[in-house]
Amino acid sequence: MFQKFYPVEDIRSTYDINFEEYYEKGYRGVIFDIDNTLVRHDMPANQQAKQLFHRLKKIGYEFCFTSNNREPRVKKFCQDVGGTHYIYKANKPSVKGYEKAMEMMGTNKQNTLFVGDQLFTDIYGANRTGIHSILVKPIHPKEEIQIVVKRYFEKIILWRYYKRKRNR
């Protein structure tokens, strides 16, 4: 029942992901959530984020930001890191935003990664779409109230996920 919320894998931070290794495996596009995945909620792109996207371009990746936030937030972040593809008000976990992101990047389910920090929107949507989902830990605990409530239920599912992972 809870497996639909389980990520394909979990990594401590977006900045710990070995994107070079994924590129060698054939991945060519990455869809990113922004808030608490790349920077603190509603914060601008920092130097670490800018360096990451410079690195991804150098490797050869296409990337797209897919957020449930409003356009000014998503567009500005995208521009600040040198990106060209973004989707705002993506209505995650709807598959439409993920599919649109792949279309914009010219990728498909087999060669696209998704990186996000929330199970019920980010990971569930990526799983429903059929793409490789990577869960990262939220950057900062300060979040909007609706996210705080979801985090309580996420803890239950994550407990089961980590228990299952240990028993493999």
Side-chain angles (χ1 to χ4, degrees), residues 2 18 20 31 37-39 43 51 54 69 86 94 99 114 116-117 119 129 145:
F2 293 121
N18 186 339
E20 290 82 0
I31 303 170
T37 296
L38 294 164
V39 293
M43 296 299 288
Q51 288 172 346
H54 176 76
N69 214 323
Y86 68 90
S94 170
E99 289 171 343
F114 177 83
D117 69 298
L119 292 181
T129 307
I145 189 65

Side-chain angles (χ1 to χ4, degrees), residues 34-98:
I34 298 172
D35 291 318
N36 249 349
T37 296
L38 294 164
V39 293
R40 287 175 58 172
H41 190 77
D42 277 334
M43 296 299 288
N46 57 23
Q47 197 57 37
Q48 188 178 28
K50 291 174 184 177
Q51 288 172 346
L52 172 65
F53 291 99
H54 176 76
R55 182 175 134 222
L56 291 176
K57 283 182 181 178
K58 204 170 167 183
I59 295 168
Y61 278 106
E62 288 289 327
F63 52 87
C64 182
F65 303 102
T66 304
S67 175
N68 287 344
N69 214 323
R70 289 180 287 241
E71 185 175 23
R73 162 70 175 145
V74 182
K75 182 179 183 179
K76 174 102 172 83
F77 189 91
C78 182
Q79 290 172 337
D80 288 350
V81 298
T84 56
H85 307 301
Y86 68 90
I87 299 166
Y88 64 97
K89 290 189 180 178
N91 199 29
K92 292 182 288 185
S94 170
V95 300
K96 289 179 183 173
Y98 297 86

